[in-house]
Structures are given as structure tokens and as C-alpha cells.
Amino acid sequence: MNKISRRGFLHFLAAGLSFLGLSSLLGCKEGEKAISKSFSDGGKSAKLPSATATNPPTPTDLPTATVPEPTSTWTPKPTPVPPHIAVARNGDPETMVRKALAALGGMERFVKQGDDVIIKPNICVGYHTYEYAATTNPWVVGALVKLALGAGARRVRVMDYPFGGPAPQAYAKSGIQKQVRAAGGKMEVMSGFKFVKTNIDKGKSLKSCRIYDEVLKADVLINVPIAKHHGMAHLTLGMKNLMGVIYNRPQIHSNYGQKLADLNSRVRSNLVVVDAVRMLLRNGPSGGNLGDVRKADTVIASPDVVAADSYAATLFNVEPNGLRYVRAGSEMGLGRSDLGNLKIEEINVG
Amino acid sequence: MVKDFKHTPRWTPRRWVKLRKVVQVLAFLLFLASFLTLRSGQVFSSNPAEGDLKTALVKLPLRLDPLAMISHALASRQFLAGSALALITITLTLVLGRVWCGWLCPLGSLLDWIPIRRKGTSRPLPPERWRSLKYVLLITILIAAIFTNLTLLVLDPLSILYRTFSTAILPALDHLVTAAERALYTIPFLQMAVGRVDSFLRPGILPSTPLFFRYTALYGGIFLTVLGLNLAAPRFWCRYLCPLGGLLGLLGKVSLMKHHISESCSGCGICDDVCPTGAIYPTEGGVDSNPGECTMCMECLPSCPGQAVSFPFGLSMAAWEPYDPGRREALVGLGASVAGIGLIGSSAFSERKHPRLIQPPGTREKDFFQECLRCGECIYACPTGAIHPALFEAGVEGLWTPVLVPRLGYCDYSCHACGQVCPVGAIPDLSLEEKREQVMGKAYIDHNRCLAWADHEVCIVCEEMCPVPDKAIYLEEVEVTGREGEKRVVKQPHVERDLCIGCGICEYKCPLDGRAAIRVYVPSL
């Protein structure tokens, strides 16, 4: 009988292990390259992946990163002071996204050369196509991928953690995968081991939870919810969309308003684009009836997640502070819900 | 050298053995590929040609299994076109002997690769008479099948592999890989490598969300026992127990190609020692063999110092050994099957179904137990881990038939993989639209434990998760009065009985620990 000798087996094992080690070294090298690239290109040392991954955010760096300050460092474009919220209406999804972003000062304001960008749409279930308005409009996501790459992003990944059905199926069914790939982005299936226990220093009700590591490490997080009905939160918008980046979701359900705000204090959306091309008015979040869908042809963009959600709530004739998470978010200073005092630019595309 | 080469026949005995080993590895890999393809169920429909190929691949192993196909035809009273593939194995056996066992069977190969019994040990082998056990099992299975019972197909070698792989080996592997990934992911410079290995493994080989099974130790233990029996005798399972081996052994008695020992045999007994199934036995002045036990592994061919072993073709019927099935085995088999059927028929499960016997979509209206092969392919195909082998829900008759365990996995509203992979259509191959209409059970709320009902907490998870377009769970706003007379409005869930399909996602996602406050039961009508 031709047996493998013990020596042969050990040789084989050693070869395998050294291959593993080598490949990990190669992977590491690539990562280093990326980091040095972002050093030289962007010079955004405050937002280095490793810095945000290991150190909890200091109270000072969070608000400045996201709350729009007229005096911030972006180079002035035609409009000297960008609006808090840009709303585009009556166009095809891609044009609306482009116009809204242009009004905010262009994607270059949010994405710098060499940035690692993650786009988080709402792909909560793999049951229906986008017409049923349970998942974010594919062309809205596709347009954002193109804009981010155009602004010089090193890579753009799109991901969500569906609660109904496996992710690959949901990615395909929603149509988002097709548009993202066509635009040059990558769909990432979120793996359980990358949800790492993270402290939420500013959290009042939620002190720690397992958050998807890549989202915390990314240079830019673009939050792209679809505006729809929800049995508990009444509406699910940008702040609630971040439920998709945590592992243990049932823990959010009690005192959800404060907990969602807590989560948003740790996971900051650099840009929020609310897809209200189609709105799901009833039987959310999973949907399934075309009769529950209203075509609103609206895209709302803002760097302020609370402001974006507040404006989106008005589309449903809901008072922004009637949404618990919006109220908790504005109380925590995550953003503003006083729409009357905000500069809102409305663009009619059609 | 050149001269030597010319004189060496192209196919030396050793080459035959090598060829067999290669074929064994290839057949095992094919089985593994077929098994792993089960998981890609949800993408079957994306590309029709690719889908057809994958469907054919996942159904292939059991369709080649004559024991499963014959019993299914007997019990279900229907002959499936796909079952004709079993004729390949039957023909192969009639021409070449039990090559299935020696060259192809994945369980047989595994047992070959685990030669844990020490060579040349003096420990005695079990008595030869035990060999008749497999024939008794075979006869029991076939007679029971005539009486529409397929319970003992749980002993089919492929069934054992499918069940163990899906409920024990893969989940355990997944757990270990995840633990390793989580540990290695904390080392910064390894993160990218871990991510790469992970994206290679998931979701193709391992699930992206961990799956959990009940009684994993039992299934792992049974499998280890089958492997461990190798201590008592090489390929113990194949020698004494395997009913499929018994069936093929009987066919092998009349196969064209047979093990033959020529006159030049010196009676040294070396071949007897190397034979993994003990098919060769000494006689006065030489050795003889029983083709019913020979798996055509060819190990004896190079072992013979006198080159007395050959495998010639010829029409003949092998001698009937004392342990080969006779009247006694037939009577025992008949008795066992009749007694078993009587006991099963008179058991409580025949009269009162277990309330949690939630079966795969589309099976409620039919005599499912008469068609199900207990192969467990649907268990691995289910991407959400909803399907488990039944242990206590289905009684003895339905042992290890598929049952949904909603607390550990839900039936995905967009998946119909179980029907697509079932090799005999026991779970009907429904379109997604048809499958969504199937009622598997109905959800009931436990008002004593539900957060909204018992504790007046805010929790609407079941309503949120309900995939039915009009929501089979609705929320009622109720004003409740507290101890001090304070009033509060809570949303309490109700199940709309007519809309509920029993997919079980509400039970799966219920945030309570342990038993859920909303549970799916077999529908009453």
C-alpha cells in the first residue's frame, strides 16, 4: 500500500502553512500600499483606517467630521455656502442623485482621492424586486458608486446584512448588485466574524455592541436608505438604516429611539442620500404589494443624518420630532431636526 | 531498461490498484462536489442551463443508488425516469461485480482510508455468520417498502453521509473556522488574508450566517461508530451491515467478471490477509473466494507471489455460502418488517400527529413518508438551516425525515431549494410563486411570555419580519393601565390566521431567550 509517510505529511503541512503565511504577508503589503497612498494623496491623517479602528473617537473629531460647517475646509464652488439639505425631484434616479450632490458641493466634498468608501443601502430582504420599494433603488446606488469613483475613491464597496434570506440572493434580487458592478463597485457579503464588539462612548442606552469592522474602518460611509413604513419606528430612514451594520439586532428593539441615536453617535454617516423615488407606505419593511408603493421621484441628500431623516419624514406628513430616533438624535447633537431654520435647496430636475 | 520496459505488460497488477485508488478519490470528490452544490440552491434559477446541470449533479448520487431507487419505486408505487440511472450501477455490478463498493461508494472509500485496525493483529474477527445481517436488513427494507414503509433507508450509506455532513461535520467545521477567523482577525496584519480566505469559503462552502442543529452529537456519534467499527474488522460496515452492499453482493454472485485463483496457488494465504472485506478464505490446498463479498478492489492481485490471481470474464454462478441469505434470513426479514409495520401503525403518532411536525413546503397533502428517502439532501440545501432530521416529531416511521425547526431557522420567502434538490420529488419542485402559497403551519402567540402582551414592552419584531405582502401579523394599539393607574398605549401583535403560511421567521427572530413567544404549529385544517 502506498502510504504518505509522516515526513511527507509534515512537509506538506509546512508547505501549506508557509503558503498561508506568505499570502497573508502579501495581503498585508497591499494594505500598507493603500494606507501610504492615502497618506500621500489625501493627507487626511485624521481619518486613517487604523486610527478609527483602534482608538475610540474623541469627542472633538466626530462632529467636525460630519456636521456641515460653512467654515470647513472644502474649496468653495459656485454656491459659497452649501445647503444643509439638497432635494431633487421629478427626474430619473441617477440625474436626481447627481443634481442633489452637485448642490451640496459635489461628491469631492465627501470623498477624497484614495478614500475607501462604503455605501450602505437598505437591502433588508431578498423577496422582491426594487419596484416593491422594500430595497433601495439600484440606480441611486449605482450613481453614488460612479460619483465616488469619479471623486477618486480607491475602492467602493456596497453591503447590507439582510434579515430575510441570504445576502447573495438579496443582492441579486434587489437589482443593486447589477448596477453596482456596472458602475465599478464591489458587493461585499458581510461575514459574522467582522462584527467586533465596539464601545459606544456617547451612548446613553446602548453602551456597546458588535459593529461591522469594515464600516468603522472605512474613510467614508454613505448611508442610502429607502423611505418606507415600519411597524415600530413608524418610518425607517437613514438613522434606522444603520441597524444593518450591527450583529445583535433584537437588543435594539427596546428603547429603540435612544439606541438608534446611540448607534449613530458611533457610526457616523458622512453623507446620507434618502431614496424616495418609490416610497413604501404600508406593510413595511418587507413590503410585497405594489399598491402600498407611491412613486415620489425624490432624492434627499445631506451630510446630516438627522436633517435628512427629518425632511424625509415630511414626505409622509410626519412631524420629524414625532420619530423617536430623530428626536433622540437631535437631543444628542448628532444633527438638526429644526427644518425651518435649515437651508434647504430644492431642485426640480424634470 | 528498454528491454525491460518492452517486457512489462502495460497494466501491471500494481497499476490496477493505483487506478482503483485514483477512481476512489475522484468519486469521493464528485460526491463532495455534488453535496456542496446543494447549498447553491437559491441561484439555481439564475441561469437555466447552469441550473439544470447543478440539479442533475445534486440528484446524481442517490439516483445511482439501486437500494434507494428500488425501495422508492416499491413504496411510492411510482417509477421516476431519473431512477433509471440506478440501472447503470446494476449493470456495472452484473458485469464487473461489486465495483460500486470497492471503487465508487464514498462511505466505502472513507472506511478504506481509515484502516484503524492494526495490521497483523491477533484479535479475532467477528464470526462469518454476521455477514448475513446485511441480507436480513436488505430483505427487511425491501419487504417493508412493499408495505409502503421506507424507515430503514436511514441505513443507506449515502443517507448516512448526507445526514452526517449536513448536521454534524459542516456545522462543526463552520464553528471552528469562525472561531479561528475571529481570533486571527484581531491580528491587524492578518485581517486581509482572513478576509480573503473567508470570501473563498462563504457562502459557497460554509454559510454566511451560522447554522445550528439539534442532536449534533448523536449524528456525529453514529458516524464515528460506523468508522470505529473498523477496529473490529476492516470495512466492518460493508462486510456485515450495509444493506446496499448486500443487494450488490447478491448481484455480484452472477457477475461476468469474477475473482479467480489458478492452479498455481500455493495456499500461502497472503491474499487472505490483504483482502479488506475478508472475501478470500483458505481451503484445503489453496484459497477460494466469495464474489458476493469481493469489492473488486484488486489488492490481492499484486500481493500474490505466484501470480495465481486473475479476474477473468465468464458466465457462472458463485457458490452459496452458509451466511448467504436463505430461508432463515428471508423469514427473519419478513417477520421484522411485518412486526415493525404493525408496531408503527399502532403507535400514537399514526393517530395523533405531533403538533410541531412542520414539513417542507408542498408535502402536507401527500403521503410524504412513502416517498421520502431520508437522504437529508434538503437539510443541507436549506440555506437558512430550517430543515432538520426529525427525531421526536415524526415517530419511528418518520425518523430523520425533514422537519422544520423554526426556532433554529426559518423558511425563506424567496427560496424553494428543497424542492429543487429532492432526488425523488418527495418535496415537490414548486415554482417560487407556488411555494409562497404553501401553508406549512400557523403561528400562535404565547400571551404569557410575549414582551408586548405580558410586559407591555415595545416589541414588534414578529410583525416586522413577516414576509407576507399583507402581513399575517398585525399590531393592535391597546391602552393599558399600570399599577398606579397610569395609562399607556402598547402595540400588541395578532396573527391573521388566513394569511399565515407558517414560514416561521417570526419564531426564529423572536428576541426572547430559549423558547419563542410566537410559535408555529401544524395547521389544524
Side-chain angles (χ1 to χ4, degrees):
Chain A
M1 224 164 121
N2 212 353
K3 270 192 178 172
I4 300 176
S5 69
R6 191 160 305 177
R7 181 183 294 262
F9 173 73
L10 286 175
H11 281 169
F12 188 76
L13 197 70
L17 281 179
S18 54
F19 172 77
L20 255 180
L22 210 70
S23 62
S24 70
L25 270 178
L26 282 176
C28 170
K29 263 192 189 151
E30 227 165 78
E32 274 166 10
K33 247 186 262 162
I35 289 169
S36 59
K37 193 178 167 210
S38 71
F39 256 121
S40 57
D41 292 342
K44 303 188 317 151
S45 47
K47 281 215 238 161
L48 267 182
S50 56
T52 39
T54 47
N55 306 334
T58 55
T60 47
D61 75 23
L62 272 180
T64 50
T66 49
V67 172
E69 293 284 338
T71 51
S72 69
T73 50
W74 65 279
T75 41
K77 293 262 154 101
T79 24
V81 181
H84 289 99
I85 306 169
V87 184
R89 293 180 199 273
N90 304 324
D92 67 281
E94 179 161 351
T95 315
M96 287 192 287
V97 170
R98 286 181 182 276
K99 297 273 184 190
L101 258 293
L104 285 182
M107 187 59 102
E108 290 73 15
R109 178 181 160 196
F110 306 99
V111 176
K112 300 283 181 283
Q113 194 73 34
D115 272 357
D116 187 14
V117 177
I118 287 182
I119 298 181
K120 163 67 177 73
N122 187 330
I123 317 177
C124 66
V125 289
Y127 304 155
H128 313 290
T129 49
Y130 69 94
E131 292 95 334
Y132 288 84
T135 51
T136 304
N137 186 294
W139 289 273
V140 168
V141 183
L144 287 168
V145 174
K146 284 183 208 165
L147 287 173
L149 288 172
R154 168 162 59 87
R155 82 179 151 168
V156 179
R157 285 174 295 169
V158 179
M159 59 187 77
D160 194 7
Y161 199 66
F163 65 72
Q169 170 194 313
Y171 287 181
K173 191 87 177 180
S174 67
I176 289 176
Q177 176 164 285
K178 195 175 166 199
Q179 296 308 320
V180 167
R181 287 190 179 158
K186 186 176 174 292
M187 298 300 296
E188 177 166 321
V189 174
M190 295 167 83
S191 301
F193 72 92
K194 284 190 185 172
F195 289 87
V196 291
K197 198 161 166 43
T198 310
N199 289 328
I200 300 174
D201 295 340
K202 293 164 112 193
K204 289 179 182 167
S205 179
L206 190 67
K207 301 285 186 195
S208 87
C209 71
R210 279 174 65 190
I211 301 179
Y212 200 64
D213 194 38
E214 301 277 2
V215 170
L216 294 173
K217 284 194 297 189
D219 298 314
V220 179
L221 172 63
I222 304 179
N223 183 350
V224 198
I226 178 165
K228 58 179 175 174
H229 162 265
H230 187 275
M232 173 179 67
H234 193 166
L235 298 176
T236 162
L237 300 165
M239 288 180 73
K240 186 160 182 316
N241 192 32
L242 292 190
M243 287 267 288
V245 306
I246 65 166
Y247 197 73
N248 182 11
R249 294 182 214 181
Q251 82 181 84
I252 292 282
H253 282 87
S254 67
N255 196 11
Y256 69 90
Q258 184 57 50
K259 283 185 179 167
L260 279 177
D262 292 345
L263 173 64
N264 273 270
S265 76
R266 181 68 185 87
V267 183
R268 302 308 318 260
S269 311
N270 301 75
L271 170 66
V272 180
V273 179
V274 182
D275 157 32
V277 177
R278 287 177 178 76
M279 292 160 50
L280 183 61
L281 304 178
R282 284 173 296 276
N283 295 319
S286 49
N289 289 322
L290 288 176
D292 295 337
V293 177
R294 192 177 88 207
K295 200 149 186 298
D297 283 327
T298 304
V299 167
I300 303 155
S302 172
D304 177 346
V305 69
V306 180
D309 282 6
S310 301
Y311 189 93
T314 62
L315 299 182
F316 292 86
N317 292 321
V318 170
E319 166 63 28
N321 282 316
L323 297 176
R324 293 191 198 188
Y325 53 85
V326 167
R327 195 168 60 230
S330 69
E331 278 167 7
M332 284 179 86
L334 301 178
R336 294 170 65 177
S337 61
D338 51 334
L339 291 176
N341 302 322
L342 296 183
K343 184 177 175 192
I344 300 170
E345 186 167 332
E346 308 234 7
I347 308 144
N348 196 338
V349 176
Chain B
M1 278 301 279
V2 175
K3 204 180 169 196
D4 267 311
F5 177 78
K6 270 187 183 164
H7 281 266
T8 314
R10 207 174 142 66
W11 283 100
T12 60
R14 217 159 274 293
R15 280 210 176 168
W16 278 108
V17 174
K18 202 160 259 180
L19 176 70
R20 187 207 84 229
K21 287 182 174 170
V22 171
V23 171
Q24 274 187 307
V25 171
L26 291 179
F28 191 82
L29 289 178
L30 182 68
F31 175 78
L32 217 55
S34 155
F35 177 77
L36 292 175
T37 308
L38 283 170
R39 200 29 84 63
S40 57
Q42 65 268 29
V43 294
F44 274 6
S45 47
S46 62
N47 173 355
E50 190 194 339
D52 287 348
L53 192 72
K54 283 183 171 176
T55 317
L57 180 63
V58 298
K59 293 182 178 181
L60 181 67
L62 270 162
R63 286 184 164 175
L64 286 174
D65 176 343
L67 177 69
M69 289 303 115
I70 293 174
S71 326
H72 174 265
L74 288 175
S76 68
R77 316 285 198 245
Q78 49 177 310
F79 184 78
L80 303 169
S83 302
L85 283 177
L87 289 175
I88 296 178
T89 313
I90 292 174
T91 316
L92 211 58
T93 313
L94 287 175
V95 176
L96 300 172
R98 260 174 88 178
V99 284
W100 167 274
C101 306
W103 293 56
L104 300 173
C105 176
L107 182 61
S109 303
L110 259 183
L111 293 171
D112 259 350
W113 298 331
I114 305 177
I116 46 178
R117 186 181 161 94
R118 219 174 262 282
K119 277 228 162 80
T121 178
S122 57
R123 218 150 11 102
L125 289 163
E128 286 293 278
R129 270 226 65 92
W130 285 21
R131 291 184 191 270
S132 61
L133 253 174
K134 60 176 178 287
Y135 297 115
V136 173
L137 283 173
L138 171 70
I139 293 165
T140 312
I141 288 174
L142 292 179
I143 294 178
I146 295 171
F147 289 115
T148 72
N149 177 291
L150 288 176
T151 302
L152 280 180
L153 275 189
V154 296
L155 295 175
D156 183 276
L158 295 178
S159 274
I160 292 177
L161 277 185
Y162 277 120
R163 193 166 47 246
T164 317
F165 274 39
S166 31
T167 58
I169 296 179
L170 265 288
L173 188 68
D174 179 33
H175 179 78
L176 294 174
V177 169
T178 309
E181 283 175 337
R182 192 160 287 152
L184 292 175
Y185 195 68
T186 55
I187 307 168
F189 67 89
L190 278 181
Q191 286 184 346
M192 201 156 297
V194 174
R196 246 172 238 181
V197 171
D198 183 73
S199 55
F200 169 74
L201 288 175
R202 296 169 213 271
I205 297 172
L206 298 175
S208 28
T209 338
L211 305 182
F212 301 93
F213 288 90
R214 314 172 300 172
Y215 326 122
T216 50
L218 173 69
Y219 303 123
I222 291 173
F223 192 61
L224 283 182
T225 310
V226 169
L227 300 185
L229 287 173
N230 264 10
L231 275 174
R235 295 191 73 155
F236 185 101
W237 167 263
C238 317
R239 285 185 189 211
Y240 307 113
L241 296 173
C242 182
L244 175 59
L247 176 65
L248 297 176
L250 290 182
L251 294 174
K253 289 254 178 210
V254 293
S255 70
L256 294 179
M257 191 197 222
K258 281 196 196 78
H259 176 248
H260 176 76
I261 292 148
S262 70
E263 305 299 316
S264 60
C265 170
S266 66
C268 67
I270 292 178
C271 55
D272 182 11
D273 286 342
V274 299
C275 180
T277 54
I280 306 171
Y281 49 89
T283 55
E284 60 283 9
V287 296
D288 209 345
S289 75
N290 176 9
E293 300 295 318
C294 170
T295 62
M296 311 301 275
C297 71
M298 312 251 165
E299 289 286 350
C300 52
L301 201 57
S303 79
C304 181
Q307 295 176 0
V309 179
S310 59
F311 287 87
F313 281 94
L315 263 176
S316 70
M317 164 88 186
W320 214 251
E321 305 290 338
Y323 51 76
D324 280 334
R327 199 174 49 192
R328 180 193 299 265
E329 283 75 17
L331 284 175
V332 172
L334 179 67
S337 52
V338 169
I341 282 155
L343 290 172
I344 284 170
S346 59
S347 79
F349 283 96
S350 315
E351 177 62 6
R352 294 275 182 255
K353 281 223 166 97
H354 193 288
R356 296 279 269 168
L357 182 62
I358 306 156
Q359 289 172 312
T363 58
R364 273 187 59 235
E365 305 297 326
K366 62 200 292 190
D367 293 318
F368 183 59
F369 292 161
Q370 291 183 23
E371 293 184 39
C372 174
L373 296 179
R374 281 78 168 159
C375 69
E377 288 199 41
C378 48
I379 296 169
Y380 191 69
C382 182
T384 42
I387 302 181
H388 292 225
L391 190 60
F392 295 112
E393 291 89 350
V396 173
E397 185 183 10
L399 180 72
W400 295 337
T401 55
V403 64
L404 272 76
V405 181
R407 194 57 176 144
L408 295 173
Y410 59 96
C411 180
D412 175 18
Y413 195 60
S414 267
C415 173
H416 48 140
C418 50
Q420 287 176 307
V421 302
C422 181
V424 290
I427 305 174
D429 186 3
L430 302 172
S431 71
L432 188 57
E433 288 68 31
E434 289 170 322
K435 182 256 165 184
R436 285 179 171 177
E437 304 283 313
Q438 299 301 317
V439 176
M440 290 164 280
K442 297 285 181 190
Y444 291 83
I445 293 171
D446 182 349
H447 293 185
N448 290 323
R449 291 185 72 231
C450 171
L451 288 175
W453 282 90
D455 302 328
H456 298 158
E457 290 274 350
V458 181
C459 180
I460 51 89
V461 174
C462 51
E463 187 265 359
E464 177 184 13
M465 296 296 154
C466 181
V468 180
D470 287 316
K471 293 277 179 197
I473 297 174
Y474 61 90
L475 302 169
E476 184 194 8
E477 293 203 352
V478 179
E479 193 183 67
V480 292
T481 313
R483 189 171 176 163
E484 310 293 333
E486 74 277 11
K487 303 248 186 266
R488 205 149 49 93
V489 174
V490 293
K491 288 177 178 174
Q492 291 176 331
H494 293 265
V495 178
E496 181 89 54
R497 207 68 70 216
D498 292 344
L499 292 178
C500 180
I501 54 172
C503 73
I505 194 170
C506 50
E507 179 173 343
Y508 176 68
K509 302 273 185 177
C510 178
L512 291 191
D513 280 328
R515 178 181 281 207
I518 183 166
R519 291 194 294 280
V520 180
Y521 291 94
V522 174
S524 38
L525 282 173

